[in-house]
């Protein structure tokens, strides 16, 4: 499985806001276990989708010079459920960006319905950092694989 | 009118409640960030971000919370204790902290007790006084 929890970017206003779409389908294995007979998209994966949208927004502001790591989620609230067939739109707004990292405010909506909102903080890690080698690749918000969502649908 | 210590504490309290998810009554001048309020390393960065925003200040990296003071190669730690040079360095780099208390019992694990709510308030008082004078 590829750890890509957004399907496509809809909008990227550099340094301001990004929007991405995620279509939920019964082809996703975990929905058969979460829960049997009652498929609901796990909140943790919505958070991941918001982090990927917000992480690319922050990374792009610095021309992807830094490795962006999800550092902390100071706030997250889930308002309702997402089920197969739903189209989730993640909107991330950059509220703080600096050398050490940055913060985004995100929402997840299905149509007019607000599903979740979160504040997510990222830290930057540079390859020169002595702790660089110790970091698990999975912590990275973007890799070249994830970046492909920005090109989906482009010729 | 300059902010009083109480004004600053009120804003610091809000900042810490947002950053650490603690209740307002848990945040007193004496509370330690790690021991009492459960802060982890990444929270220090978050706290600095929020203080800058809430107080409209710039806090250069390492000024409020100096980094790598207790690392093995800092030369300031020997046999699990902060050396005399280490204490002197802390006094220089953290004039806002109660280094006397650490000097009395310089075990490495006591370094984190320097990081109290009162230390942040004192740091901001100094910082705000400086920017008002400038």
């Amino acid at each position: 499985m590829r750890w890509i929890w957004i399907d496509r970017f809809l909008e990227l206003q550099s340094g301001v806001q990004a929007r991405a779409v995620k279509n939920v389908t019964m082809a996703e294995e975990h929905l058969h276990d979460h829960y049997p007979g009652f498929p609901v998209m796990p909140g943790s994966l919505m958070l991941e989708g918001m982090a990927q949208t917000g992480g690319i927004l922050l990374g792009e502001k610095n021309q992807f010079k830094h490795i962006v790591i999800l550092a902390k989620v100071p706030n997250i609230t889930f308002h309702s459920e997402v089920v197969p067939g739903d189209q989730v739109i993640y909107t991330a707004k950059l509220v703080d960006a600096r050398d050490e990292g940055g913060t985004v405010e995100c929402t997840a909506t299905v149509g007019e319905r607000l599903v979740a909102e979160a504040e997510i903080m990222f830290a930057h890690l540079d390859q020169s950092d002595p702790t660089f080698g110790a970091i698990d690749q999975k912590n990275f918000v973007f890799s070249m694989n994830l970046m492909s969502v920005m090109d989906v649908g482009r010729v | 009118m300059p902010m009083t210590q109480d004004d600053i504490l009120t804003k610091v309290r809000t900042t810490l409640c947002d950053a650490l998810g603690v209740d307002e009554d848990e945040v007193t001048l004496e509370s330690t960030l790690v021991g009492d309020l459960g802060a982890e390393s990444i929270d220090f960065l978050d706290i600095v971000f929020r203080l800058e925003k809430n107080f409209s200040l710039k806090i250069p990296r390492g000024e409020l919370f100096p980094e790598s003071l207790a690392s093995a190669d800092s030369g300031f730690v020997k046999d699990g204790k902060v050396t005399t040079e280490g204490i002197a360095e802390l006094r220089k780099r953290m004039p806002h902290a109660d280094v006397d208390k650490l000097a009395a019992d310089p075990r490495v694990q006591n370094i984190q007790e320097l990081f109290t709510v009162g230390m942040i308030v004192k740091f901001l008082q100094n910082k705000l006084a400086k920017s008002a004078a400038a």
Side-chain angles (χ1 to χ4, degrees):
Chain A
M1 189 170 68
R2 307 284 169 118
W3 200 247
I4 299 177
W5 291 101
I6 46 185
D7 296 334
R8 184 165 70 172
F9 253 67
L10 301 175
E11 178 195 344
L12 179 72
Q13 284 179 51
S14 183
V16 181
Q17 171 173 303
R19 283 195 312 131
V21 59
K22 158 73 186 160
N23 288 300
V24 181
T25 88
M26 278 305 275
E28 294 170 40
E29 283 288 335
H30 57 271
L31 290 179
H32 295 266
D33 300 308
H34 189 283
Y35 300 91
F38 184 64
V40 190
M41 184 177 183
S44 51
L45 293 181
M46 276 189 250
L47 173 60
E48 184 67 30
M50 292 191 271
Q52 292 185 351
T53 310
I56 290 178
L57 174 65
L58 175 63
E60 192 274 342
K61 187 182 157 66
N62 300 302
Q63 294 81 47
F64 302 105
K65 208 169 49 197
H66 306 288
I67 286 165
V68 172
I69 300 173
L70 197 166
K72 181 175 168 180
V73 183
N75 280 305
I76 184 160
T77 310
F78 293 100
H79 298 283
S80 70
E81 288 159 1
V82 169
V83 298
D86 281 346
Q87 183 172 65
V88 188
I89 305 288
Y90 297 122
T91 305
K93 291 194 168 90
L94 194 62
V95 292
D96 205 353
R98 57 185 64 224
D99 286 348
E100 302 96 317
T103 306
V104 293
E105 279 172 5
C106 299
T107 59
T109 52
V110 173
E112 297 283 299
R113 179 163 55 94
L114 179 66
V115 172
E117 48 194 331
E119 183 184 359
I120 303 173
M121 191 189 139
F122 301 95
H124 287 152
L125 188 67
D126 291 305
Q127 297 194 17
S128 58
D129 195 297
T131 57
F132 182 80
I135 299 291
D136 185 333
Q137 293 284 332
K138 283 190 205 133
N139 290 339
F140 294 174
V141 163
F142 47 80
S143 59
M144 289 327 281
N145 241 337
L146 172 58
M147 299 305 290
S148 63
V149 299
M150 298 183 76
D151 296 326
V152 174
R154 288 197 195 159
V155 181
Chain B
M1 206 177 81
M3 289 179 81
T4 65
Q5 192 196 44
D6 274 353
D7 296 338
I8 296 175
L9 177 60
T10 305
K11 261 174 128 167
V12 167
R13 184 175 280 135
T14 315
T15 306
L16 294 176
C17 289
D18 290 344
L20 304 174
V22 293
D23 291 330
E24 286 201 358
D25 56 9
E26 291 178 73
V27 183
T28 65
L29 283 172
E30 291 75 33
S31 325
T32 57
L33 299 181
V34 176
D36 295 330
L37 303 180
E40 294 179 28
S41 59
I42 200 69
D43 294 319
F44 287 89
L45 192 59
D46 189 19
I47 291 168
V48 171
F49 282 12
R50 289 174 195 271
L51 288 173
E52 286 195 348
K53 194 175 287 175
N54 294 347
F55 287 87
S56 310
L57 281 172
K58 191 88 197 108
I59 302 175
R61 188 170 184 168
E63 201 176 285
L64 174 57
F65 305 119
E67 290 161 28
S68 60
L69 281 170
S71 62
D73 57 359
S74 65
F76 297 136
V77 175
K78 206 180 162 207
D79 304 326
K81 287 184 178 167
V82 183
T83 59
T84 318
E85 296 78 41
I87 294 287
E89 180 71 14
L90 280 168
R91 286 188 200 283
K92 200 167 83 193
R93 282 165 65 175
M94 300 182 72
H96 45 289
D98 183 5
V99 180
D100 290 342
K101 200 173 150 200
L102 178 68
D105 183 4
R107 281 177 299 163
V108 172
Q109 61 264 40
N110 291 341
I111 290 182
Q112 66 181 35
E113 307 219 332
L114 291 175
F115 302 124
T116 62
V117 175
M119 179 204 83
I120 297 179
V121 171
K122 193 165 171 207
F123 173 84
L124 291 167
Q125 274 178 312
N126 295 346
K127 195 97 186 154
L128 290 166
K130 253 186 224 158
S131 67

